[in-house]
Amino acid sequence: MKQILENRFFPTPRLLRMPSVGIDISDQSIKFAELIPYRGSFRLGRYGEEQIPAGIVAGGKIIDSKKLSEVLASIREKHGLSFVRVAMPEEQVYLFRVKIPRMDRQSIRNAIELQLEEHIPMAAVDSVFDYDLVSEGDSWYSIKVLASSQVTIDSYLELFASSGYTPISLELEASAIMRAVIPEGDASTVMVVDFGHTRTGVSIVSDRKVLFATTLDIGGRALTEILEKNFKISFAEAEGMKKTFDLSRNAPERELFAVLLNNISVLRDEINKHYVYWHTHKEEDGVAHPAIEKIVLCGGDSNLIGLVDYLSMSMRTTVVLADAWANIATDNGYVPEINFNDSLGYVTAIGLALRDFTHD
């Protein structure tokens, strides 16, 4: 995050920028994507996914950095990668808002640092933080702050350096997703749900700024294991079956539908809890949050048949699948190499790669 701050105040001239690749590390895999300028927009460059052996990463935390470094080095050698932008999971980052008196921009950082220990469980000297202006009044600024421990930041930088990469920036995963799926100029307030294999990220975005982010210990793997057990098939076969199973009420397997729906309803309840909290609680100064207009669903397990309809009907709000190419023109004759369903799992990597061409 220190790199992000430096890029804001001392931006690298566009002609001197090195093209970078977005890298998204989850508990199960590493995804990467590159964007290349193309006819006034972009096209997909190098991209791919490599599986990670179990136990190397868990809950967004790197457990075995040596083995992860070996996997990353293998990807680098295979695909010729060098400069990278890396996503950090919400579990490793603190996101909060502060309100400070209006002051010259050079003094904002010091004012935030004085309040830092009120919001994070570590000494300010042991942390690294970045910030964005959310709103302002005649006498105040509302600031979004992202903070992580220096140890965590150093571990990520050392991991990629030891793997032969040059990391350009570390960024909150939710921010990268926002950059990919929220169209430029869209000032609406939306909830973004990243339904992954082992966990689900929930964030709230307003005017293309991430104001809230959390992670749920719920993922699509649980559904795969139910199918694996019920049909006595391999995990790989169950993964394939999951993509064709219908979560709607007219599904032929009524008994299995009820079991799967029980797991999906747990996810729905957790999402709804944050949805309701956002609308019923106000900011510290008593100002109400802007209403969430819709829920945008992404992630590798978000394309389950019937999931969008189920969440939309049960939560009584608009739910849509994300468009990973929302800020990449596809009406100029270019058809992305990744199909729509698979692109839902690449939104973080695509959003990271977009950072080369945007200022947010």
Side-chain angles (χ1 to χ4, degrees), residues 221-237:
R221 182 184 179 91
L223 302 180
T224 305
E225 291 172 344
I226 290 172
L227 295 172
E228 179 185 25
K229 180 179 180 181
N230 186 83
F231 289 99
K232 296 179 174 58
I233 57 179
S234 70
F235 187 86
E237 290 172 321

Side-chain angles (χ1 to χ4, degrees), residues 227 231 241-242 244-261 304-307 310:
L227 295 172
F231 289 99
M241 178 180 286
K242 182 174 66 176
T244 62
F245 190 83
D246 193 345
L247 290 173
S248 61
R249 293 189 177 278
N250 59 0
E253 295 282 351
R254 299 295 301 168
E255 182 178 348
L256 185 56
F257 166 78
V259 175
L260 290 176
L261 190 62
L304 298 178
I305 300 173
L307 179 59
Y310 169 72

Side-chain angles (χ1 to χ4, degrees), residues 27 30 78-79 99 108-109 118 137 189 201 211 232 271:
D27 292 4
I30 297 173
K78 181 178 179 181
H79 299 278
K99 195 171 184 179
I108 291 178
R109 183 173 179 82
E118 300 175 19
T189 300
L211 303 183
K232 296 179 174 58
I271 295 172

Side-chain angles (χ1 to χ4, degrees), residues 141-284:
Y141 288 131
S142 178
I143 305 288
K144 178 191 77 174
V145 183
L146 294 167
S148 186
S149 72
Q150 183 71 63
V151 171
T152 298
I153 297 297
D154 288 345
S155 68
Y156 269 80
L157 295 177
E158 290 168 7
L159 169 68
F160 280 89
S162 67
S163 307
Y165 295 87
T166 301
I168 297 176
S169 65
L170 302 178
E171 184 172 359
L172 182 69
E173 187 174 9
S175 296
I177 293 173
M178 175 281 298
R179 189 178 300 112
V181 305
I182 306 299
E184 287 191 14
D186 186 345
S188 64
T189 300
V190 302
M191 173 180 278
V192 180
V193 177
D194 178 22
F195 186 31
H197 201 58
T198 59
R199 54 196 176 95
T200 297
V202 177
S203 59
I204 298 175
V205 177
S206 187
D207 194 18
R208 300 191 86 242
K209 295 181 177 67
V210 178
L211 303 183
F212 170 84
T214 191
T215 301
L216 310 175
D217 291 327
I218 303 171
R221 182 184 179 91
L223 302 180
T224 305
E225 291 172 344
I226 290 172
L227 295 172
E228 179 185 25
K229 180 179 180 181
N230 186 83
F231 289 99
K232 296 179 174 58
I233 57 179
S234 70
F235 187 86
E237 290 172 321
E239 274 286 293
M241 178 180 286
K242 182 174 66 176
K243 296 177 181 178
T244 62
F245 190 83
D246 193 345
L247 290 173
S248 61
R249 293 189 177 278
N250 59 0
E253 295 282 351
R254 299 295 301 168
E255 182 178 348
L256 185 56
F257 166 78
V259 175
L260 290 176
L261 190 62
N262 182 58
N263 281 265
I264 290 295
S265 66
V266 173
L267 173 65
R268 185 273 319 275
D269 291 345
E270 288 297 315
I271 295 172
N272 190 60
K273 180 175 68 175
H274 293 294
Y275 183 90
V276 171
Y277 186 90
W278 178 264
H279 287 103
T280 56
H281 289 70
K282 299 180 179 181
E283 296 289 349
E284 292 181 1

Side-chain angles (χ1 to χ4, degrees), residues 299-320:
D301 280 280
S302 62
N303 54 9
L304 298 178
I305 300 173
L307 179 59
V308 167
D309 290 339
Y310 169 72
L311 291 176
S312 181
M313 288 170 40
S314 61
M315 292 184 63
R316 299 181 180 179
T317 191
T318 301
V319 181
V320 299

